[in-house]
Amino acid sequence: MIQLKRKVSYQNHTLSILLIVMTLLLSACVNKEPQKSKTSAKPNKSKTSTTEQRTEWKLPVSPPEGEFYKFAGWISDTEVLYITNVEQTSNVYRYHLLTGKSDLIYKSKYPIVTVEISPSKNYILIHSSPSSYEGLVTIIDAKGSQKLNESFPSHELEFEWNPYNESQILVTKFAEDWTFSVSLLDIENSKTKELSIPQPFIKWMNEDEIAFLNWDENKPALFAPLIGMNLDNEREKPIFPSAIHFSTFRHLIMTVTVSKQDQSKAAYSFYNQSKKEIFSFSIPQLTNFSDWLVPFYDYDENKGQFITLQPLSSGEIDSYMSGFQLVLYDVKKGSKKVIMEGLDNEPITISPSGDALLFGNSFENIIDLKAKKKYKMIKE
């Protein structure tokens, strides 16, 4: 990802965490909006960049075997991964958007819960479920060769791939009562190490440092301090005094707080590694139970562009009916561009070139960001 976690009583705080976990880890229903079955974009005559050339996407996808479950994300600019279920087993396919060909790269003898693609697209994590109390993690390369197979006693699993060292993955294991523990999975050495981390939702700051919002369950609040931790010695250090939500990208930290100028708006701030703010913007804010909704987003590190869904007005999410805009912010230039209107707040993941994105609870739509058009990936 992916993906979003926020946290006015102790019970409400626990309920919010449970709801967030379930939202992140379970697929929702498919968008019912009818779409054209195939894109037919006109070729771009410019020869300066192959990524800028317009070609034809072969849609919708027709799985060779099984029932479509969901798309997992981009493996290249012209290839995506998707999962099908065949009775109690699952298959993972690589789909070629330009040829319409599906290549089987992995067969699982257990139902697949999710598939995570590494930041470089060189590795694929497959989380399957032999039982309700066991999560099986299999790592393969982009061609399907297995690199690791590890079982974790758990009710749910959450993953955070180290973008600075892809042989490392943080694995948060949730028990049925939502207590948790965190392990560091070392792919290269095929081993795991238990870590003493006080929070389940973690991001990588650099190769050996992580960050988390340190929510205090004994003192429920709408904000929490952002803390960094060195994994070598497990020493903590404060980064920012308070935030609603945060994320990290290569050489960047993003925080979400309440706007000081307008309490009904959320303030997004981007900082460099020296903690100096380099860009910020505010959007209308929706309340969600005892906390605030942070709409889905993604970041294109190559272009320095942050793309997010944002509401048209502030208020309560249960009564909000105006849809969401898909908006692109250029962090480097400080500019803003509205791409599309009237969308639902559903997950998005941008292509390596930044020219398209997958959209939807099952990534069942593809959006051409230049043409500003949305297409259905699967027949209903």
Side-chain angles (χ1 to χ4, degrees), residues 191-250:
K191 64 180 184 180
T192 59
K193 176 185 177 182
E194 293 298 313
L195 302 174
S196 298
I197 300 176
Q199 299 293 330
F201 303 118
I202 312 155
K203 296 290 184 182
W204 291 93
M205 293 280 290
N206 52 53
E207 187 171 350
D208 54 12
E209 187 179 7
I210 61 170
F212 51 85
L213 286 173
N214 201 22
W215 300 98
D216 186 348
E217 292 186 349
N218 296 318
K219 298 178 181 179
L222 297 175
F223 303 88
L226 181 59
I227 304 296
M229 175 187 282
N230 186 298
L231 290 183
D232 292 333
N233 53 32
E234 295 189 350
R235 291 180 180 174
E236 298 181 11
K237 65 177 182 180
I239 301 175
F240 294 112
S242 67
I244 298 169
H245 176 82
F246 86 104
S247 192
T248 59
F249 313 109
R250 190 172 288 273

Side-chain angles (χ1 to χ4, degrees), residues 340-355:
M340 297 184 77
E341 306 265 3
L343 298 175
D344 293 328
N345 178 39
E346 296 180 352
I348 58 177
T349 181
I350 198 163
S351 67
S353 69
D355 290 339

